[in-house]
Amino acid sequence: MIKRLFQLLFLAVLIYAFKPLWEGPVSQYVDLSFLDPLDAKVETVLNEEVVGSALDYTKESIVDLITFVSDKAVGSSPPEEVAQPVLDAPATGIISIHNIEIGTTEAQVKEKLGDPMRKSVNEYGTEWLTFHDNYQNFVMLSYDIKRRVNAIYTNDRLIASSIGIEYGVPKSEVREELGEPISEIRKGTNIYKLQNDEGMDIFHSDGLYMYVFYDLHQENTVTAVQLISDSLEQKKTALYAPQNDAMRKGFEMQLFDLTNAARVRHGRSILTWDELASETARLHSTDMAVQDYFSHENLQGESPFDRMKKQGVQFVSAGENLAYGQSSSIFAHEGLMNSKGHRENILIRDYQFLGIGVDFNDKEQPFYTENFFAK
């Protein structure tokens, strides 16, 4: 009896482990929403370390075996250069990134993208998982409690849509397909009015918010897309995220990765993180936040170059970018790329190093400082 009970339990674990593989095809013919309560129960059980580890081991072993057999069957070998992915029209929604949609499972993401290069706290209270190949095929995504994608961003040529929206499409065509962007977001009893921003449109459709960013220096064409699920957007009840060290560090590393992805996209070299320059940048962000000003020159009359020299940063050329009030590093970066002088700093060929510092004022508004330099 005990042996049979164990066999049934093991079978149940296998069925759940294979769920990402059979859920999609079966859901086309059967409404699987009745399994949601079961998923929630399983998530609770999986919080127990032993059971969770056992299930993860089983799932990873199965995926590794399938991958091994598949590679042997087709005789695959790693490409010498980073290949551009073949983008398919979204299977369920109207838009996808790197063939990944809102709702894609973690197992499916891992199969397509492998392991993330970085994990960092984001303004939605989850983590951005960052994927790239030397900053090509750049993607950031987040998971919900069921380990399904609930947010995804790219500033690469990875956007596919059933209605023709992709990287480089003019703003006029986007609006022709999606209509007028929304002007407010309702969260419970609160209504957030959206500022008119020529560099960004927000659309709401198919259970998700679509943030479409435009390059004002490339004839208002699509340069990036961020997709956020309804449920995740509604959980973010305030304009700004609560300030803490994890959020500060998350914003710094996200802005660093976004900057390098933009440089690679424009044929520039990858910048190296510099800790001294980061300390310099963070001190200036803190000073602006505490003293309530926004300027390259601080209240003591020191320029960015004065501050970098004082901190011990040695350079032959240098530059500084500032941003203030944007609720995420994505918004800060896209705004900087649409500002001529800041864009030029980001794309200067000779720069080799970058330090980024972020801090918050008493209203939790972030101040971003970027210090670029070459030796």
Side-chain angles (χ1 to χ4, degrees):
M1 179 65 70
I2 294 177
K3 181 179 179 181
R4 177 163 297 183
L5 180 62
F6 177 79
Q7 290 173 335
L8 289 173
L9 178 60
F10 184 71
L11 178 61
V13 170
L14 281 179
I15 292 173
Y16 188 81
F18 274 115
K19 188 167 180 278
L21 304 179
W22 57 258
E23 182 177 32
V26 172
S27 64
Q28 298 180 22
Y29 306 99
V30 180
D31 182 4
L32 299 177
S33 60
F34 69 92
L35 290 176
D36 287 344
L38 177 60
D39 283 338
K41 292 290 185 183
V42 173
E43 289 292 336
T44 301
V45 173
L46 291 183
N47 284 330
E48 295 295 330
E49 184 176 354
V50 175
V51 177
S53 298
L55 181 57
D56 287 342
Y57 177 80
T58 303
K59 291 165 68 177
E60 289 176 6
S61 299
I62 293 168
V63 171
D64 288 344
L65 177 61
I66 293 173
T67 302
F68 174 79
V69 173
S70 175
D71 286 347
K72 289 298 182 182
V74 300
S76 63
S77 58
E80 295 184 2
E81 296 183 0
V82 176
Q84 288 296 319
V86 177
L87 302 179
D88 300 320
T92 56
I94 64 172
I95 192 166
S96 67
I97 292 173
H98 212 328
N99 296 324
I100 296 170
E101 303 176 49
I102 297 297
T104 299
T105 66
E106 182 179 22
Q108 292 169 324
V109 170
K110 188 172 183 179
E111 181 181 355
K112 294 175 182 178
L113 303 183
D115 295 322
M117 303 295 289
R118 193 191 307 281
K119 296 180 182 180
S120 57
V121 173
N122 66 27
E123 67 278 12
Y124 286 96
T126 61
E127 286 183 323
W128 279 127
L129 279 67
T130 304
F131 301 83
H132 60 83
D133 302 301
N134 288 322
Y135 289 101
Q136 298 187 60
N137 297 333
F138 184 82
V139 174
M140 300 191 336
L141 60 81
S142 162
Y143 293 119
D144 62 18
I145 192 172
K146 297 180 182 179
R147 308 304 290 173
R148 297 175 183 172
V149 174
N150 61 2
I152 186 168
Y153 164 92
T154 189
N155 60 358
D156 207 338
R157 299 177 182 275
L158 302 172
I159 306 162
S161 170
S162 59
I163 56 176
I165 297 173
E166 58 187 29
Y167 188 98
V169 167
K171 180 179 186 177
S172 57
E173 291 187 19
V174 174
R175 289 191 171 186
E176 183 179 343
E177 293 293 343
L178 294 177
E180 285 297 310
I182 62 176
S183 59
E184 62 185 33
I185 296 179
R186 182 182 296 273
K187 297 186 177 185
T189 59
N190 297 322
I191 297 177
Y192 291 90
K193 295 288 185 181
L194 304 174
Q195 294 181 349
N196 184 27
D197 184 349
E198 291 184 359
M200 179 185 70
D201 281 338
I202 306 177
F203 303 93
H204 185 222
S205 177
D206 277 8
L208 60 86
Y209 288 87
M210 292 174 280
Y211 294 76
V212 182
F213 299 93
Y214 305 105
D215 190 334
L216 303 185
H217 301 278
Q218 295 291 330
E219 300 180 342
N220 273 357
T221 53
V222 174
T223 188
V225 167
Q226 176 180 252
L227 309 177
I228 306 291
S229 70
D230 273 1
S231 58
L232 184 61
E233 188 67 59
Q234 292 300 319
K235 287 179 182 176
K236 186 172 180 285
T237 57
L239 180 59
Y240 298 108
Q243 57 172 302
N244 53 55
D245 284 343
M247 189 73 268
R248 173 190 58 76
K249 188 65 174 177
F251 278 172
E252 290 175 355
M253 301 316 300
Q254 290 153 23
L255 189 52
F256 176 76
D257 287 338
L258 289 161
T259 301
N260 268 327
R263 283 180 62 87
V264 168
R265 198 72 46 250
H266 289 82
R268 308 298 194 263
S269 62
I270 296 171
L271 300 177
T272 300
W273 177 269
D274 187 86
E275 192 58 37
L276 276 180
S278 176
E279 291 176 12
T280 307
R282 193 174 303 120
L283 286 170
H284 188 54
S285 289
T286 301
D287 191 46
M288 289 189 294
V290 173
Q291 301 296 331
D292 193 24
Y293 73 95
F294 184 67
S295 173
H296 290 288
E297 187 174 287
N298 66 17
L299 300 183
Q300 289 72 46
E302 294 174 327
S303 70
F305 316 110
D306 296 329
R307 295 191 297 272
M308 291 174 72
K309 289 176 182 176
K310 179 188 290 188
Q311 201 67 25
V313 179
Q314 297 181 355
F315 59 88
V316 295
S317 62
E320 180 176 85
N321 281 351
L322 301 179
Y324 154 70
Q326 288 89 346
S327 60
S328 76
S329 288
I330 289 175
F331 292 154
H333 170 73
E334 297 297 342
L336 290 169
M337 284 297 290
N338 275 332
S339 172
K340 187 175 185 296
H342 297 102
R343 181 190 185 96
E344 289 174 353
N345 260 349
I346 291 171
L347 299 180
I348 285 178
R349 290 185 181 274
D350 293 340
Y351 284 155
Q352 302 164 296
F353 303 93
L354 172 60
I356 296 176
V358 175
D359 210 340
F360 308 84
N361 65 13
D362 56 4
K363 298 177 182 177
E364 299 187 322
Q365 297 169 317
F367 288 73
Y368 307 83
T369 302
E370 298 179 317
N371 285 154
F372 303 85
F373 68 101
K375 294 182 178 180

